[in-house]
Each structure stands twice: as structure tokens, then as C-alpha cells.
Amino acid sequence: MINSGVATCASDGHQDAPSARSALAGPGPIGAGLNRAELDGFRLGGQTGLGGRPGLGGRKEWADTGLAEVDLSRLEFAVMDLETTGWSPEAAAITEIAAVRVKGPRGAGRGRRPGELVRQGEFASLVNPGVPVPPRIADLTGITDWMLAAAPRLGTVLPGLLDFARGCVLVAHNAPFDLGFLVAGCDDCGLAWPGFTVLDTVMLARQVMDPDEVPDCKLGTLAGFFRARTAPNHRALADARATADVLGWLIRRLTHRGIRTLRQLSTWPEVVA
């Protein structure tokens, strides 16, 4: 069941609008999470994160994660996607959050191709951003002010997402964009950012895809190339499902190269942090 609230399943625009950052959380303490310098490390074009690249950071050191030496096929991943009212967390807000929890298969699965990860659960919610959705964004995503009117505020949704992803490697396609909004949202809602280990499928694809195979590493391109079970469509859950399928095939390519752990993968700091 996925609706305007939170659901988990087992198996630009308006100069007169209020500030998106001030509207995110609703009533409650502001700024009780990360400090501002740490928050800036997640932003596109921001400071260098702990992983050595702009926009990715916030994890513990590799020796402390407990995940560094685990075979990638045995890890659980929370593959997430956001829809927003714009491109910067300073000026825009989240309108939809989704995540798919996946792990590697144990033996052959009926009807499953070798590169496909097993879906363990899903989380999805619309989010009332507290500001109007610009028309061009509504046209892109299909998410309208009317759809969001009865949706919960971000401060209600975020704790569920963080709990859903606990213990997982967090994955996103162009991770600095999504993390920028998530970390800013946690900061505004008075929530501590858990410091996930983060994997960026865009940067991973750029390492393992041959230029002769695909013209670019956009999600739609990769999903089509790998024949993902779900086509991305600028809605959070569909895009998260597509990213999860792409991740499975990228991990398969890593295995063929002899890369089987996050520690080995961390030699590409733009991929994992």
C-alpha cells in the first residue's frame, strides 16, 4: 500500500512564496542535527565531503562501519529517490520520498535474471513541501499542489525513512542531489543525520560502462540498457526501483572485475563514501 502518507511493504518559481527551508519541518526545533559546515559538504558544488568529492560525505571512517569487508552480494542496500520543487535545498523542498531495500540473491530465483537484486521492502510517501510546486516541475513529475495538500510534512516522513534504511548502504543515482535535500531536511527537522555509507550509481556506471555501450549514464539510459523491471518516470518509487535494478547489474560487473567489497570499491572515492 502506497499513498499520500508513509507506506512500507515487505516483499524558480514563486518569489512571493515562503522560504522552502523555513517551511520544511513545521513546528519544532530547527538546526538540532548536523552543523552547517557538515551540511554544506552534501550540497552539489559544496565543500569536499569525507569521501573526497563535492556533495558526498557524512559517513564514519571505513574501519568503523562494519561493512567495508562484507561481500557486496551479502550487503543490504536502501536505494532511494526524491522529487522536489527545484534543484537546490536552499531554495526548494521535497515533494516525494521513496526507497527500496534490496540485497543479493541466495541461489537461483524463479524468473529472476542473474543480475537482479531481491527486493526486501519499499517505503514511499508524498511530502507537503509548504510551498507551491512550480508549473514546470509539476509538468515533469506529475505531482501537483492538489496531490500534496493532504500529505504529511517532512518532519513526519523523515524518521520513517531513516528507520527503514537503518543498517543499509544508502544508494542514489546522482547521490549528492538527494543527500543535499535529505541532510538539509534532517537539519531543519532537528534530526541527526545517521552518517550512512553512500554509493552513487551515476559515478559507478561511469567506471564500469563502456562508452560504446551507452551514450550517457542517465537513469533512463541505464534502465533501458539493462532492461530494468521498472522504467523511471520522474516519480520517486519508480525511479528508486529502476535504480535498484541498475545497481544489481553494476555490482555484477564489479564482480567480473574482482571488486567484491566496499573497501575495494573505495579506491573510487567518487563512487562510495
Side-chain angles (χ1 to χ4, degrees):
M1 179 179 66
I2 299 169
N3 54 32
S4 61
V6 175
T8 56
C9 306
S11 168
D12 191 46
H14 300 266
Q15 294 180 354
D16 297 328
S19 165
R21 295 298 300 279
S22 64
L24 285 174
I30 300 298
L34 296 176
N35 62 59
R36 190 59 54 180
E38 191 173 9
L39 174 64
D40 286 342
F42 281 85
R43 293 190 183 126
L44 290 172
Q47 300 171 1
T48 300
L50 293 178
R53 62 166 296 190
L56 261 182
R59 68 163 177 84
K60 299 177 181 178
E61 292 300 322
W62 280 103
D64 298 333
T65 64
L67 302 175
E69 303 296 347
V70 179
D71 194 287
L72 293 171
S73 67
R74 302 186 66 84
L75 288 173
E76 283 198 76
F77 301 90
V79 185
M80 54 85 54
D81 187 78
L82 303 177
E83 301 302 329
T84 67
T85 62
W87 315 117
S88 165
E90 281 292 346
I94 296 170
T95 58
E96 188 174 39
I97 295 177
V100 180
R101 191 160 174 148
V102 295
K103 67 178 181 180
R106 297 289 181 268
R110 183 177 180 181
R112 185 172 57 240
R113 294 187 294 157
E116 290 177 345
L117 299 176
V118 180
R119 294 175 184 171
Q120 302 296 302
E122 295 179 341
F123 175 102
S125 180
L126 292 170
V127 179
N128 187 328
V131 295
V133 178
R136 70 182 186 282
I137 299 296
D139 290 343
L140 177 68
T141 65
I143 298 173
T144 65
D145 293 334
W146 180 85
M147 293 170 59
L148 300 175
R153 300 298 287 271
L154 186 62
T156 300
V157 178
L158 269 180
L161 174 70
L162 298 180
D163 184 65
F164 178 81
R166 183 178 294 125
C168 294
V169 175
L170 201 64
V171 179
H173 202 71
N174 187 21
F177 175 84
D178 299 273
L179 293 188
F181 278 92
L182 286 180
V183 176
C186 284
D187 188 58
D188 286 342
C189 295
L191 298 171
W193 177 251
F196 291 103
T197 297
V198 179
L199 189 152
D200 187 342
T201 49
V202 169
M203 302 308 293
L204 177 56
R206 289 176 181 172
Q207 293 288 348
V208 301
M209 299 298 295
D210 191 309
D212 293 335
E213 294 178 303
V214 291
D216 55 61
C217 290
K218 296 178 181 178
L219 180 57
T221 302
L222 296 172
F225 179 84
F226 289 121
R227 293 185 291 135
R229 289 169 285 183
T230 304
N233 62 2
H234 297 292
R235 290 298 300 270
L237 184 57
D239 288 7
R241 287 171 174 169
T243 302
D245 279 0
V246 168
L247 173 66
W249 289 99
L250 295 178
I251 289 176
R252 184 173 172 84
R253 291 191 171 212
L254 289 174
T255 301
H256 290 316
R257 293 185 177 208
I259 299 174
R260 298 180 180 274
T261 68
L262 288 175
R263 187 178 297 279
Q264 291 175 303
L265 191 55
S266 69
T267 58
W268 295 329
E270 71 277 10
V271 172
V272 65

